[in-house]
Amino acid sequence: MTDAATYRNPVIPGFHPDPSICRVGEDYYLVCSSFEYFPGVPIFHSRDLVNWRQIGNVLDRPNQLELPPGTHASGGIFAPTIRHHDGRFYMITTNVNIGRHLLVTATDPAGPWSDPIYLDVPHIDPSLVWDDNGDCWLTVSGVESYRIDPLAGTVLEGPVPMWSGTGGQYPEAPHLYRIDGWWYLLVSEGGTHTGHAVSIARSRDIRGPFAPAPVNPFLTHRSTDRPIQATGHADLVQAADGSWWLVLLGIRAKGQWPPYHVLGRETFLVPVRWVDGWPVVDPVEEVMAAPAGSPPALATAPDPGAHRDDFDDPTLAAGWLSLRARPAESWSLTERPGWLTLHAVGDTLDRVGATIVARRQLHHDCRAGVRVDPGAGRAGLTLRIDEAHHYDLEISEGTVRVVGRVGPFRQVFAEQPVPPGPVTVTIATRTHHLLPPTVTAADQVTAPGAPFGVRPAACDTVSFEVATADGSVVLAELDGRYLSTEVAAGFTGRVFGLYVTEGSAAFDWFDYQPMPPAGD
Ligand code: 6LW
């Protein structure tokens, strides 16, 4: 591979799992799962497969996305598939809380997308493909297929059993592709954690039988010490120049033992070459060499992810997430122009129903700050995975507090008076493994009685700062592993959330900056 360009993985960092991709001419579109968050199914656009920009959310109206209050964390919207057929975009996904697949269509992938058509077919991970007769086939985990009418939502034939991988648990994420007169069936197996793997089979007939590739799984990082783990849930795409690529999910775990991942499952990209009619990929690395002749823009670095929102626009940017719904009475960008005003709906972050507007944590080392006017209410900035796993910088009654909730435990780690009016608070995460000398309450949590020093189990340190007239003060530093998937379980990752749990509060701005790793 001479004259190779390189690019950086993950191409879409942060909690962006289960990628599905399609190409129309020179344009690529990619969607991810969104679970209990509203709006649902973020959609991205790229011209080079590396630099992605979110252009909207496919499910951005309550009548497309029913997430009833009983929707548990990591419930809701599972793996979507995006396809383009006959001038129309199709997105199909499963809402596990209503137990149905829903299909929406659009002519412009930035929206609006149609109201949903529901398909009452079991299993998860629906995918669509059209055969040579123009018939539409739905594949689902298991793995099986159904011939359907995608616009009426009716099943015309099936289930047709297909091929369930090499025997790994959870054969899922099936996608069918028509390539060189074959039907290729891509399947993930082994579960979405470190056993994850991608296998493939093919048939001349869409109804099978499918013959597996001689070497399966053709992509897995299981039982390796590679820094990127859990590689799987993939989708294939052919670039405009004829080259082939796989998008897939993976995790970047830190610390030991076991390693912890805190950003959720992220989207990675790997080039594919075909050998004797089967796809071959190299292991997924953070810096990947792209084959010579690939789109030249692959040499460019992806957006480092810094962003600031001054809340001057009358609409919330596509990257903002709420939990299960964003009722009109809970937020406003016009009530106090230039500020995001939030009104409490629920009274605690510990239960479903709180008013939160959140952005994903995209980097292991980063800082997120807000300027918040809590008024007479209770408001702040949280770093959360779910209702039972969050660290909060909370302001009420003239006091700023660091509050941690982990499983059934809730504790106030630090508090300090603040003057009335707007306060600037920041949460920073660092991946260093040595405790800094400023460490406070966190040490009591992570290493009772131990002197400051090496803490090999930590995946990161989360620090909580408040701006005062005398400069920024670190109120506490907590061990980040308690806000990891290994502790919290589930399919999502961390988000930074602006919230209010009593009265009303206004946010002047939100600022997110990646930071260079501090090292050991
Ligand atoms: C998804 C399944 C999986 O539906 O995790 O990694 C599930 N794979 O295919 C939820 O994201």
Side-chain angles (χ1 to χ4, degrees):
M1 200 186 295
T2 55
D3 190 26
T6 59
Y7 65 91
R8 288 199 78 86
N9 266 320
V11 289
I12 306 183
F15 143 52
H16 289 110
D18 306 325
S20 172
I21 188 169
C22 73
R23 177 177 67 84
V24 182
E26 302 279 326
D27 297 292
Y28 302 91
Y29 300 96
L30 186 149
V31 290
C32 296
S33 306
S34 51
F35 303 99
E36 73 270 33
Y37 287 94
F38 180 96
V41 186
I43 179 164
F44 297 83
H45 170 256
S46 175
R47 276 284 174 103
D48 59 20
L49 292 165
V50 169
N51 297 283
W52 292 93
R53 186 175 67 86
Q54 190 174 349
I55 56 171
N57 294 281
V58 173
L59 306 176
D60 62 0
R61 304 190 299 273
N63 69 337
Q64 295 171 312
L65 183 52
E66 284 179 59
L67 297 173
T71 304
H72 51 88
S74 288
I77 296 295
F78 272 33
T81 294
I82 187 168
R83 293 292 181 257
H84 185 258
H85 175 72
D86 215 7
R88 200 193 288 242
F89 290 90
Y90 293 74
M91 191 288 297
I92 187 164
T93 182
T94 313
N95 183 336
V96 298
N97 277 82
I98 59 173
R100 306 175 90 183
H101 307 293
L102 60 105
L103 192 161
V104 291
T105 65
T107 48
D108 180 350
W113 288 75
S114 69
D115 289 345
I117 290 160
Y118 291 99
L119 279 137
D120 290 312
V121 164
H123 308 299
I124 56 169
D125 296 357
S127 179
L128 299 176
V129 74
W130 283 260
D131 68 16
D132 300 339
N133 305 321
D135 285 336
C136 181
W137 289 84
L138 165 71
T139 55
V140 289
S141 63
V143 170
E144 57 194 35
S145 66
Y146 297 80
R147 188 162 55 85
I148 63 164
D149 178 336
L151 299 181
T154 47
V155 173
L156 308 173
E157 179 184 343
V160 179
M162 300 177 82
W163 173 73
S164 300
T166 65
Q169 64 176 170
Y170 306 131
E172 57 194 7
H175 292 298
L176 274 173
Y177 310 90
R178 189 77 168 132
I179 302 169
D180 289 342
W182 292 97
W183 287 101
Y184 281 88
L185 172 60
L186 190 71
V187 168
S188 288
E189 52 179 321
T192 194
H193 202 48
T194 48
H196 219 183
V198 188
S199 298
I200 196 161
R202 69 182 184 185
S203 171
R204 290 287 182 197
D205 188 332
I206 199 165
R207 293 174 177 76
F210 287 86
V215 181
N216 267 326
F218 72 95
L219 171 62
T220 185
H221 285 194
R222 68 189 179 200
S223 195
T224 68
D225 57 5
R226 296 189 169 279
I228 297 164
Q229 286 288 316
T231 49
H233 199 112
D235 196 6
L236 260 177
V237 69
Q238 187 173 29
D241 70 350
S243 58
W244 286 86
W245 301 82
L246 204 62
V247 290
L248 65 146
L249 71 77
I251 62 174
R252 291 181 290 166
K254 307 278 182 193
Q256 53 180 321
W257 176 256
Y260 299 87
H261 73 287
V262 302
L263 301 182
R265 298 166 301 159
E266 308 177 277
T267 287
F268 293 79
L269 174 77
V270 65
V272 176
R273 53 189 193 278
W274 291 84
V275 178
D276 299 331
W278 297 104
V280 176
V281 294
D282 291 329
V284 188
E285 311 273 6
E286 287 205 68
V287 178
M288 292 287 307
S294 300
L298 279 177
T300 64
D303 174 352
H307 53 266
R308 181 182 172 90
D309 200 327
D310 286 303
F311 301 120
D312 292 330
D313 289 340
T315 52
L316 269 181
W320 287 106
L321 298 169
S322 293
L323 279 162
R324 299 171 183 85
R326 189 178 288 162
E329 67 274 18
S330 69
W331 69 286
S332 169
L333 284 162
T334 52
E335 216 169 299
R336 184 167 170 181
W339 295 66
L340 171 65
T341 303
L342 298 181
H343 302 289
V345 176
D347 62 2
T348 171
L349 296 183
D350 295 349
R351 281 193 298 276
V352 168
T355 301
I356 303 181
V357 174
R359 302 286 301 220
R360 292 164 175 86
Q361 181 182 340
L362 305 178
H363 306 81
H364 287 98
D365 295 86
C366 64
R367 307 171 57 79
V370 292
R371 183 163 183 258
V372 50
D373 183 350
R378 184 172 60 230
L381 178 66
T382 182
L383 181 64
R384 81 183 295 277
I385 288 200
D386 60 23
E387 283 74 16
H389 300 87
H390 53 93
Y391 293 161
D392 321 322
L393 252 175
E394 182 162 284
I395 303 137
S396 68
E397 296 169 339
T399 302
V400 58
R401 296 182 185 82
V402 177
V403 184
R405 162 84 198 257
V406 175
F409 306 110
R410 177 173 233 281
Q411 186 171 328
V412 176
F413 289 95
E415 52 188 0
Q416 178 166 310
V418 283
V423 185
T424 298
V425 292
T426 300
I427 299 179
T429 71
R430 310 306 306 263
T431 48
H432 54 73
H433 298 303
L434 292 180
L435 287 175
T438 54
V439 102
T440 55
D443 194 54
Q444 304 307 314
V445 178
T446 57
F452 295 159
V454 178
R455 187 179 49 176
C459 51
D460 62 0
T461 300
V462 186
S463 65
F464 303 85
E465 299 169 26
V466 59
T468 71
D470 301 324
S472 188
V473 172
V474 177
L475 295 172
E477 291 184 304
L478 301 181
D479 186 331
R481 88 184 109 154
Y482 302 107
L483 301 189
S484 69
T485 298
E486 284 68 17
V487 171
F491 292 127
T492 63
R494 285 184 188 163
V495 299
F496 289 103
L498 287 50
Y499 73 92
V500 56
T501 48
E502 189 182 310
S504 303
F507 296 83
D508 189 9
W509 47 256
F510 171 83
D511 190 77
Y512 176 94
Q513 299 290 336
M515 291 190 291
D520 289 343

